[in-house]
């Protein structure tokens, strides 16, 4: 007989955990494991990584979940390997082989294709993706053997580096805009080389301002005590580090948190991170237009209080 499962006592946790997602877990499985280890009440992530992908996965807890959408649109950097000459149904090693062709690729071919796929390009999203068509995810159609028409999307490949790993394997390093599918990029590169390709590995090394060198593994997190785990969290405002900063006095901060606009000597800015100074605390986001600070997503007073208490308690 199995021993009864210990019930976890949840608690308010606020902040961002930079996880190095392991191979084989879905983003949600990794999130739930970290949520359990932190005993967090509320959690979400900033965009999925496939089970066969590893690397940077920012996890948001408590108040940070209000700002996770900002990183769905962040630029990202990947390292991948692709097997030439073999095309699969999913564009990666999980799918069934659907075509094989001979490979005859020289260094000049890689240089030509690298140039061809650098800059603005159009990309047709893969069927095995979470994009929706008529209310259903594309992967649901794919599992039923149905292929639906997908409109090409404009994306940008800011930097692309291709290198031969063997006669039939290449390395792909790419920094890309939001909405770019690296599996599709690998397939398209294979087609441009005349032989087809599928990804055999994929690692996200950066998203937004977060780098894999800042990340922690689930294994390391599990080996820590609770205080050490909490100390791994970045503050919620790490998600808005690129925003213009505005600091309000106590009276203006209270009115701002109630949703009221404030006037001040501020220049127009589309993305503002607002702080109070008594005590110093992150209040939320806003934008400035014609000298008015217009509230966006706001923390609640209890979230601010809980964050301050957690900060004081963490060594």
């Amino acid at each position: 007989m199995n021993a009864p499962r210990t019930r976890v006592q949840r608690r308010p946790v606020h902040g961002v955990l930079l996880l190095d997602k392991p191979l084989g877990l879905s983003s949600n499985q990794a999130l739930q494991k970290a949520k359990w280890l932190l005993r967090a009440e509320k959690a979400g992530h900033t965009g999925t990584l496939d089970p066969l992908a590893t690397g940077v996965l920012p996890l948001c807890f408590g108040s940070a979940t209000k700002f996770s959408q900002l990183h769905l649109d962040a630029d990202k950097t990947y390292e991948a390997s692709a097997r030439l000459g073999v095309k699969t149904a999913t564009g990666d090693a999980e799918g069934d082989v659907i075509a094989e062709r001979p490979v005859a690729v020289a260094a000049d071919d890689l240089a030509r294709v690298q140039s061809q796929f650098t800059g603005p390009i159009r990309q047709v999203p893969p069927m095995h993706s979470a994009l929706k068509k008529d209310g259903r995810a594309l992967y649901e159609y794919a599992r039923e053997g149905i292929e639906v028409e997908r409109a090409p999307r404009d994306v940008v490949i800011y930097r692309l580096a291709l290198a031969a790993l063997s006669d039939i394997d290449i390395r792909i390093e790419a920094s890309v805009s939001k909405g770019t599918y690296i599996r599709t990029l690998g397939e398209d590169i294979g087609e441009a080389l005349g032989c087809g390709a599928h990804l055999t590995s994929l690692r996200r090394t950066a998203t937004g301002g977060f780098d894999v060198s800042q990340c922690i593994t689930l294994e390391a997190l599990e080996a820590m005590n609770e205080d050490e785990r909490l100390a791994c969290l970045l503050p919620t405002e790490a998600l808005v580090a690129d925003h213009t900063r505005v600091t309000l006095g106590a009276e203006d901060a209270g009115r701002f948190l109630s949703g009221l606009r404030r006037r001040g000597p501020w220049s127009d800015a589309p993305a503002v991170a607002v702080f109070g100074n008594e005590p110093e605390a992150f209040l939320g986001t806003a934008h400035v237009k014609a000298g008015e600070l217009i509230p966006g997503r706001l923390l609640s007073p209890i979230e601010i209080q809980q964050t301050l208490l957690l900060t004081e308690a963490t060594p």
Side-chain angles (χ1 to χ4, degrees):
M1 180 180 292
N2 293 330
R5 187 172 180 177
T6 303
R7 184 175 179 85
V8 174
Q9 185 64 43
R10 301 289 181 179
R11 59 181 172 174
V13 173
H14 303 281
V16 182
L17 181 72
L18 300 182
L19 183 71
D20 186 345
K21 190 191 84 65
L23 187 69
L25 288 187
S26 70
S27 294
N28 187 58
Q29 287 171 328
L31 170 69
Q32 295 306 320
K33 178 68 173 178
K35 182 181 178 183
W36 184 82
L37 289 169
L38 287 165
R39 296 197 291 115
E41 292 176 341
K42 186 177 181 181
H45 56 68
T46 59
T48 59
L49 275 176
D50 293 339
L52 286 183
T54 65
V56 186
L57 182 65
L59 303 180
C60 298
F61 297 91
S63 62
T65 60
K66 293 182 175 180
F67 309 96
S68 59
Q69 180 69 33
L70 297 173
H71 272 258
L72 290 176
D73 298 338
D75 296 336
K76 297 173 175 64
T77 301
Y78 295 90
E79 295 177 354
S81 58
R83 174 66 51 86
L84 301 178
V86 180
K87 186 172 181 177
T88 70
T90 58
D92 58 24
E94 275 197 321
D96 295 331
V97 174
I98 57 175
E100 293 188 60
R101 283 179 274 175
V103 178
V105 174
D108 289 348
D109 298 316
L110 290 180
R112 170 182 57 80
V113 171
Q114 179 175 303
S115 176
Q116 178 182 339
F117 284 92
T118 301
I121 66 170
R122 305 204 83 193
Q123 191 180 74
V124 177
M127 281 299 302
H128 288 267
S129 68
L131 291 178
K132 292 193 174 180
K133 172 81 170 179
D134 298 329
R136 297 181 65 196
L138 291 180
Y139 66 76
E140 294 179 15
Y141 292 103
R143 287 172 180 171
E144 296 173 6
I146 302 170
E147 182 158 347
V148 299
E149 186 175 351
R150 290 99 67 204
R153 304 198 300 180
D154 294 319
V155 298
V156 182
I157 312 299
Y158 300 112
R159 183 183 67 86
L160 180 65
L162 302 179
L165 295 173
S166 71
D167 290 341
I168 57 172
D169 295 290
I170 61 171
R171 179 182 179 84
I172 302 171
E173 296 180 8
S175 296
V176 302
S177 69
K178 68 174 182 178
T180 304
Y181 287 90
I182 303 301
R183 279 180 294 146
T184 301
L185 179 63
E187 287 185 305
D188 291 346
I189 286 171
E191 291 302 317
L193 290 170
C195 57
H198 71 277
L199 292 193
T200 52
S201 70
L202 178 62
R203 182 164 177 77
R204 186 157 71 192
T205 58
T207 176
F210 301 134
D211 184 85
V212 72
S213 63
Q214 301 170 273
C215 293
I216 187 168
T217 64
L218 282 175
E219 184 179 20
L221 195 69
E222 195 164 13
M224 296 177 176
N225 63 42
E226 287 201 334
D227 287 342
E228 291 171 331
R229 290 170 188 164
L230 287 175
C232 292
L233 292 173
L234 299 178
T236 294
E237 56 264 34
L239 294 171
V240 295
D242 59 344
H243 285 35
T244 301
R245 182 175 176 134
V246 165
T247 302
L248 300 176
E251 183 177 344
D252 279 333
R255 293 180 181 275
F256 174 79
L257 282 176
S258 67
L260 296 177
R261 301 182 180 193
R262 313 312 301 146
R263 294 201 64 86
W266 304 299
S267 301
D268 285 4
V272 176
V274 184
F275 292 79
N277 64 2
E278 297 179 14
E280 183 176 349
F282 176 56
L283 306 180
T285 58
H287 68 278
V288 176
K289 186 174 182 180
E292 277 197 322
L293 185 68
I294 303 170
R297 291 189 177 274
L298 306 177
L299 274 68
S300 69
I302 192 168
E303 286 173 334
I304 295 171
Q305 183 181 27
Q306 288 171 346
T307 300
L308 291 172
L309 289 172
L310 280 171
T311 301
E312 292 172 0
T314 303

